[in-house]
Amino acid sequence: MISLSQLGHSTLRQFQLAHRVSKFVGLQMKCGESFPLASRGISSYSSAPVVDFPVPNSLRETVKTSLLDQVTKEDSTAWNDKSGMNGVNTEISSLFDPLDDLYPIAETRYWPNPPPDVQLDADPFLLSKKEVENLSKSIRDDLLGSENPVLTKAASYFFESADGGKKIRPMMIMLLARALAETIGNSGHHEGTLFAVPLPAQREDLPGAQRRLAEISEMIHTASLFHDDVIDGSDTRRGMASVHMVFGNKMAILAGDYLLARASICLARLRNLEVVETMSTIIEHLVRGEVMQIRGTSTADGVNESMVYYLRKNFFKTASLMANSCKSAAVLADCPPELVIASYKYGKHVGMAFQLVDDVLDYEGSVSSMGKPALADLKAGLATAPVMFSATRYPELEAMIDRKFSKDGDVERAQELVFESDGLEQTKHLARLHAEIAMEALLELEGSVYRDALINLAHKVVSRTK
């Protein structure tokens, strides 16, 4: 037992900080009567340095785990926006999503076909090819550029060529913008561009605003990749060295921050408060999803609860960006509420399907096909849908999930059991269900080659092999 007479001032400061953290997360530090900090009269605002105190790893892990448990709860106050406080923080958007449709249990209705009367030759990649090719150059030349050439180079790393990445997000936004235009009656378009001529009641610069929204979406996505690769220690991305492997961790983080800053400035210049609120929510969701991933799932939560937790994490990390970007495209065009909701649902469920297929390809893919090593999730200690489904057949996976596949042989054994079970097929089935929900959401729009291209895109997302 440590007595107060044995503790120096800075050591007491360390205990004070640990004690405050423990109180915040609801812990009770078991230090007995020899730990009455107040009896020393140490001010809670002491400026004593906090150095060289050997905090036990067990305490660090306990505090970390408790913090993560608190902030990842669905009703955690960490994410409350206290809307309406002082009249200056009232939520603008009326669209509320309880995220209660992330785990549909049903049979597919159309698969392997799209819904009836959809043009199978409506190619999303061909229709958007010119706009997508110009996107990287526009971001690199028009939106990025700082007084620090290294920062500029790092931030532009994935925008150096037109074929860097699939550009699914901006493609969705630009095709949706045209599909919505066809629905509300403005079918005329500028020569050589995907975008329609605005109606008299719409903003005059609508095509430019929607194109800029597509660029903002890709910038936010790219920033998240920079940060994710540092957190995960990933060596490759898109078949090339990760940014932090080329420029170092600090510059990779700064480049990601810079992209978010530039995206935020461009977002404000769209001059639409609901779009600013909607797109800003994406950044909060990215953080929330990353925190949920750090905590991970636990088999003690129950099979169904663990799957729902995992799917909510997928929404925050992946689907929110697609959902809210598509919603913003409809808001910019002053579309009626039913089209705004349809746009959001399409992006949300394509995003959910996209991530589920990514999780399958972590087992079935390779560096050449995926641009990153296979089994990256397992090696990072992450339990995704294939292994979670497999655990219902092979309970020995539960212990591996709880210890984050940290023992020698865990990764190899988990891979073996996933291939022996139907975990991959169950994950693919769940992805197909989400893709069908996305397709059905777009049936609210008038039939057009652009609407059908988006429906075909949802199909391609699920059937892809890279």
Side-chain angles (χ1 to χ4, degrees):
M1 186 71 70
I2 301 173
S3 66
L4 287 174
S5 62
Q6 296 174 293
L7 299 177
H9 189 82
S10 62
T11 304
L12 277 170
R13 177 62 173 159
Q14 291 281 1
F15 270 119
Q16 282 182 302
L17 291 172
H19 185 61
R20 285 180 201 151
V21 172
S22 71
K23 286 180 66 179
F24 175 75
V25 299
L27 293 174
Q28 295 296 322
M29 294 185 67
K30 307 294 186 180
C31 295
E33 295 302 318
S34 63
F35 192 53
L37 293 175
S39 66
R40 281 283 295 222
I42 303 297
S43 167
S44 60
Y45 300 100
S46 169
S47 60
V50 181
V51 292
D52 299 330
F53 179 68
V55 179
N57 286 334
S58 59
L59 176 59
R60 293 178 189 272
E61 287 303 311
T62 299
V63 172
K64 173 185 171 182
T65 300
S66 297
L67 280 169
L68 290 173
D69 285 344
Q70 290 292 323
V71 300
T72 54
K73 290 179 179 177
E74 290 187 31
D75 58 352
S76 171
T77 57
W79 312 106
N80 287 353
D81 62 5
K82 300 180 178 62
S83 295
M85 182 178 63
N86 299 326
V88 298
N89 198 31
T90 303
E91 188 175 8
I92 298 169
S93 175
S94 59
L95 177 58
F96 170 73
D97 185 359
L99 302 182
D100 57 0
D101 57 352
L102 302 182
Y103 193 14
I105 300 175
E107 295 299 319
T108 54
R109 296 181 59 188
Y110 312 113
W111 195 266
N113 301 309
D117 302 322
V118 170
Q119 304 174 62
L120 298 180
D121 59 349
D123 188 337
F125 295 94
L126 185 61
L127 286 171
S128 63
K129 185 174 185 292
K130 184 174 181 180
E131 295 288 356
V132 170
E133 285 178 346
N134 292 333
L135 183 121
S136 289
K137 184 178 186 301
S138 176
I139 293 175
R140 185 179 66 249
D141 296 347
D142 300 338
L143 303 183
L144 300 181
S146 74
E147 295 180 359
N148 186 317
V150 179
L151 178 61
T152 300
K153 188 72 174 176
S156 305
Y157 186 68
F158 285 145
F159 299 113
E160 292 295 338
S161 63
D163 60 352
K166 295 177 279 291
K167 304 291 190 298
I168 294 292
R169 294 151 192 85
M171 181 190 302
M172 289 168 61
I173 293 169
M174 293 186 287
L175 287 171
L176 181 62
R178 183 59 183 272
L180 290 167
E182 298 281 333
T183 299
I184 61 178
N186 50 342
S187 57
H189 70 283
H190 297 290
E191 190 66 31
T193 180
L194 182 62
F195 297 94
V197 176
L199 294 171
Q202 294 175 312
R203 54 190 293 173
E204 293 180 4
D205 64 344
L206 180 59
Q210 289 176 323
R211 182 183 290 107
R212 183 53 46 86
L213 176 67
E215 294 167 349
I216 290 168
S217 178
E218 187 65 11
M219 289 167 72
I220 292 173
H221 170 59
T222 304
S224 74
L225 298 184
F226 287 8
H227 290 165
D228 281 358
D229 286 345
V230 172
I231 293 170
D232 300 338
S234 301
D235 294 342
T236 59
R237 171 74 67 173
R238 295 179 177 174
M240 52 200 293
S242 300
V243 173
H244 71 96
M245 296 298 293
V246 178
F247 298 95
N249 285 348
K250 290 183 179 179
M251 190 56 66
I253 293 296
L254 286 174
D257 292 347
Y258 177 62
L259 280 172
L260 290 176
R262 293 299 304 166
S264 298
I265 292 171
C266 295
L267 182 58
R269 289 174 179 167
L270 290 180
R271 306 290 194 271
N272 186 302
L273 289 179
E274 185 172 0
V275 171
V276 171
E277 177 185 74
T278 299
M279 295 297 290
S280 298
T281 300
I282 295 167
I283 300 176
E284 178 191 306
H285 285 175
L286 287 170
V287 176
R288 187 170 186 176
E290 193 62 49
V291 171
M292 292 178 74
Q293 180 164 291
I294 291 172
R295 175 190 179 271
T297 56
S298 171
T299 57
D301 296 334
V303 175
N304 189 71
E305 290 75 8
S306 294
M307 183 61 73
V308 170
Y309 179 94
Y310 153 81
L311 292 169
R312 286 176 64 86
K313 181 268 295 180
N314 282 1
F315 171 80
F316 291 128
K317 276 183 66 73
T318 302
S320 173
L321 176 54
M322 295 185 180
N324 286 299
S325 295
C326 288
K327 172 191 169 185
S328 294
V331 171
L332 276 176
D334 293 316
C335 291
E338 61 271 18
L339 294 183
V340 173
I341 293 171
S343 300
Y344 175 86
K345 286 184 66 176
Y346 173 77
K348 171 185 174 180
H349 291 283
V350 168
M352 294 300 297
F354 186 95
Q355 186 57 53
L356 287 163
V357 173
D358 246 19
D359 293 342
V360 168
L361 293 176
D362 192 51
Y363 291 85
E364 296 183 341
S366 63
V367 175
S368 59
S369 65
M370 289 292 290
K372 57 185 179 181
L375 302 181
D377 291 332
L378 278 181
K379 293 172 183 176
L382 303 178
T384 56
V387 74
M388 294 170 74
F389 279 127
S390 300
T392 61
R393 178 175 176 183
Y394 295 108
E396 69 178 278
L397 283 167
E398 295 180 359
M400 299 183 204
I401 291 171
D402 288 340
R403 62 177 177 255
K404 299 183 185 297
F405 312 99
S406 58
K407 279 190 176 182
D408 289 343
D410 276 358
V411 170
E412 293 76 15
R413 180 58 176 160
Q415 179 189 25
E416 179 183 342
L417 294 176
V418 167
F419 282 121
E420 288 182 4
S421 73
D422 62 351
L424 291 170
E425 183 54 39
Q426 286 191 70
T427 305
K428 292 176 184 178
H429 178 75
L430 183 55
R432 292 166 191 150
L433 287 174
H434 278 289
E436 287 196 346
I437 296 172
M439 296 175 190
E440 290 178 338
L442 283 194
L443 297 181
E444 293 283 338
L445 278 62
E446 290 292 326
S448 70
V449 66
Y450 304 101
R451 184 205 69 173
D452 291 351
L454 287 165
I455 290 175
N456 290 334
L457 178 61
H459 191 284
K460 291 176 182 291
V461 160
V462 177
S463 59
R464 68 191 173 99
T465 57
K466 61 180 182 178

